[in-house]
Amino acid sequence: MNDHVYDLLGVGIGPFNLSLAALIDDRTEIDALFFEQKPQFDWHPGMLIVGTRLQVPFMADLVTLADPTSRYSFLNYLSKENRLYPFYFLQRLDIPRREYNDYCQWVANELKNCRFGKKVTELDYDDNEELYLVTVLDVHTEETTVYKSKNLVLGTGGIPAIPKAFRGYPEQDVFHTAQYLSRQDRCREANSITVIGSGQSAAEVFRELLKDHMEHEYRLNWVTRSQSFLTMEESKLSVEQFSPDYVNYFYEFPQEKKDEIFGSQDLLYKGISSHTVTDIYNLLYENTVSRRKMKVGIQALTEVNGIEEKDGKYELQCHQWQQGKDFKIESEVVIIGTGYRPNVPAFINGLKPYISWDDQGRYEVESDYRLCVSIPNQIYVHSGISHSHGVGSTNLGLAVHRNKVIINHLTGEDVFPMYEKHVFQNFDADKFQ
């Protein structure tokens, strides 16, 4: 037992909790510690493909939108790494995804309140002391320590959403896009590959496979149940929905209305970036110069309803829902681009009786990102809150604002100034001017 009582213990170190750790270190006296089971910060390592870009401007780093003078800013990282001039000449707002990951690793290495290789295995509450008890396993020594804290923050992220029909098959052959880079060599050896889904990750994997397919001569398929391979809505007024203003507007609706609104916003977060679509089309065009034949099939309007292993291959049962026609696709490798689902880990079971849940088993969350609990101590949360806070809940551009809210609430002070209006448009009719 570690008898020291912390103000805040964090579970998971992804971009949201890393941002919180950096802002706490730079601007507050909060006694905090964050735990992560991985040996180092690593953000979607299976998708750190050369040429992929962050989908938000570099100003959505870990600190700038709260404190542009912070030593943990992306620009300071560039300065320390002697990359300011190359970035200046790059003349882009977006940055390579691999560089964002490297930047986050740099910040994590600078911070003293982040502990990697530490796996949280249990969360409990001591009613007598009114403290959280966090059991942490050192993954290297296998030693266990229990830490005490007044408050918690959960940053457990999402986990790959794999439909039930695709589970249980060899992981080298049937896998989620999240594992793509570790399976790239397997793909290059295959005679046929099928990518299912039309979100950004599926598109990026298809683009990489398309680059290689003439050399490795595999058959390449891309299938989606959507009406087309639709681009993400990226116009400037549309992306104002990823603002504190819209979060506050959305939060005030009853849950049934929130679910209805969220269900209509797919293209704000599920589509493909326009530059990725352009890259794919350019590759398709160039690969057909001089009437070269490509072994590529791109199929929209089609659900994949089942999979069956046959003679070392996989037979996909497909249904073109607009025509009502069934057909089959054979493939040696199947890559599933079906997104992610919120991760409510098993170690939270010890706190479940204290937490309020809705009728769909989701957290009930206050506007300031606290779980609704029956105890005086707070549990702040970063993941699994799209139903309560809307489409921007997983957007990196809102991470810093969320952490400003959390820090101000935790300290009871206005450490960071909060503003009523951040965007040009209004969402609430009562505030129209």
Side-chain angles (χ1 to χ4, degrees):
M1 176 75 73
N2 184 331
D3 287 325
H4 179 80
V5 177
Y6 290 89
D7 296 320
L8 182 72
L9 290 178
V11 183
I13 306 178
F16 284 78
N17 259 352
L18 185 60
S19 165
L20 181 59
L23 290 170
I24 284 174
D25 181 79
D26 226 14
R27 293 285 296 270
T28 79
E29 298 299 320
I30 297 170
D31 188 6
L33 203 57
F34 295 80
F35 302 110
E36 170 58 52
Q37 63 183 334
K38 294 177 184 175
Q40 65 174 3
F41 182 94
D42 228 356
W43 185 63
H44 297 299
M47 288 299 296
L48 295 178
I49 300 168
V50 174
T52 56
R53 307 180 194 179
L54 203 63
Q55 290 181 282
V56 292
F58 75 89
M59 283 181 63
D61 63 10
L62 299 172
V63 293
T64 294
L65 290 173
D67 181 5
T69 67
S70 171
R71 59 188 169 133
Y72 298 122
S73 70
F74 177 72
L75 289 179
N76 193 43
Y77 153 81
L78 291 178
S79 177
K80 297 296 185 183
E81 297 293 310
N82 192 27
R83 291 177 60 80
L84 270 174
Y85 270 98
F87 182 70
Y88 167 63
F89 294 126
L90 183 66
Q91 298 184 54
R92 270 181 22 198
L93 282 174
D94 56 2
I95 60 176
R97 193 179 294 159
R98 292 167 63 245
E99 186 166 39
Y100 177 76
N101 192 60
D102 193 69
Y103 155 66
C104 289
Q105 289 178 344
W106 173 80
V107 172
N109 290 335
E110 293 287 313
L111 291 170
K112 295 180 180 179
N113 57 8
C114 291
R115 300 285 186 272
F116 291 87
K118 306 289 186 180
K119 182 179 180 180
V120 173
T121 58
E122 288 182 56
L123 296 178
D124 292 296
Y125 185 72
D126 187 322
D127 291 284
N128 295 322
E129 292 193 74
E130 293 189 341
L131 293 173
Y132 291 109
L133 305 178
V134 181
T135 304
V136 179
L137 172 71
D138 186 307
V139 298
H140 303 294
T141 66
E142 297 188 349
E143 293 179 356
T144 295
T145 305
V146 178
Y147 294 82
K148 297 179 179 181
S149 182
K150 300 172 188 174
N151 304 285
L152 300 177
V153 58
L154 305 180
T156 52
I159 55 178
I162 301 177
K164 188 175 180 179
F166 294 91
R167 300 172 196 166
Y169 291 96
E171 293 182 359
Q172 287 296 112
D173 296 339
V174 181
F175 56 88
H176 194 271
T177 52
Q179 283 78 48
Y180 171 68
L181 281 182
S182 64
R183 310 284 194 272
Q184 195 170 36
D185 289 341
R186 169 66 182 110
C187 291
R188 289 169 174 165
E189 297 168 356
N191 290 319
S192 53
I193 305 168
T194 298
V195 180
I196 301 171
S198 57
Q200 182 66 18
S201 295
E204 288 171 352
V205 167
F206 179 78
R207 179 180 59 185
E208 290 307 296
L209 294 168
L210 189 58
K211 288 178 183 177
D212 286 347
H213 107 282
M214 296 301 282
E215 176 185 352
H216 296 281
E217 298 184 340
Y218 44 67
R219 165 76 188 188
L220 178 60
N221 306 306
W222 191 14
V223 182
T224 181
R225 65 183 175 186
S226 299
Q227 293 191 23
S228 182
F229 294 84
L230 301 171
T231 54
M232 195 175 297
E233 179 52 73
E234 298 175 295
S235 63
K236 289 178 171 56
L237 285 175
S238 292
V239 297
E240 283 193 347
Q241 290 177 76
F242 298 106
S243 65
D245 310 54
Y246 187 80
V247 172
N248 295 336
Y249 162 77
F250 180 87
Y251 185 83
E252 295 303 317
F253 283 105
Q255 189 58 58
E256 185 177 348
K257 186 65 175 179
K258 287 182 185 180
D259 292 339
E260 178 188 335
I261 295 170
F262 187 73
S264 68
Q265 294 177 312
D266 282 7
L267 290 184
L268 285 171
Y269 68 102
K270 282 188 177 180
I272 308 168
S273 293
S274 58
H275 67 82
T276 306
V277 174
T278 300
D279 289 346
I280 290 169
Y281 196 88
N282 289 344
L283 284 168
L284 292 168
Y285 184 84
E286 290 186 27
N287 282 341
T288 56
V289 170
S290 300
R291 296 191 177 90
R292 291 175 70 182
K293 297 291 185 183
M294 291 191 304
K295 296 190 291 184
V296 175
I298 301 176
Q299 179 68 41
L301 299 157
T302 299
E303 299 171 344
V304 180
N305 294 323
I307 178 172
E308 185 177 349
E309 188 173 3
K310 283 191 174 182
D311 302 323
K313 294 183 180 180
Y314 301 91
E315 188 176 84
L316 303 175
Q317 286 83 50
C318 302
H319 177 72
Q320 208 282 17
W321 54 263
Q322 207 167 66
Q323 292 177 311
K325 291 185 177 179
D326 296 325
F327 65 100
K328 296 177 181 178
I329 294 175
E330 277 195 350
S331 189
E332 278 190 16
V333 170
V334 179
I335 305 175
I336 306 157
T338 47
Y340 297 80
R341 59 182 176 82
N343 180 25
V344 181
F347 59 66
I348 207 169
N349 285 344
L351 299 180
K352 272 191 173 181
Y354 303 103
I355 299 172
S356 295
W357 307 82
D358 71 8
D359 56 6
Q360 296 187 43
R362 303 174 296 194
Y363 298 131
E364 289 191 349
V365 192
E366 302 282 3
S367 61
D368 51 12
Y369 307 102
R370 292 176 295 134
L371 294 186
C372 298
V373 294
S374 59
I375 46 182
N377 310 71
Q378 308 302 335
I379 304 175
Y380 302 96
V381 65
H382 282 305
S383 51
I385 60 172
S386 294
H387 66 287
S388 61
H389 285 73
V391 68
S393 296
T394 58
N395 186 275
L396 294 176
L398 281 167
V400 171
H401 174 78
R402 184 181 307 168
N403 287 327
K404 287 168 59 177
V405 173
I406 291 172
I407 288 171
N408 286 358
H409 183 271
L410 188 62
T411 61
E413 301 175 5
D414 292 331
V415 177
F416 297 101
M418 306 300 289
Y419 304 99
E420 288 189 9
K421 193 166 178 62
H422 303 78
V423 297
F424 290 113
Q425 65 186 290
N426 290 311
F427 301 104
D428 188 335
D430 291 335
K431 296 181 180 179
F432 180 74
Q433 296 178 356

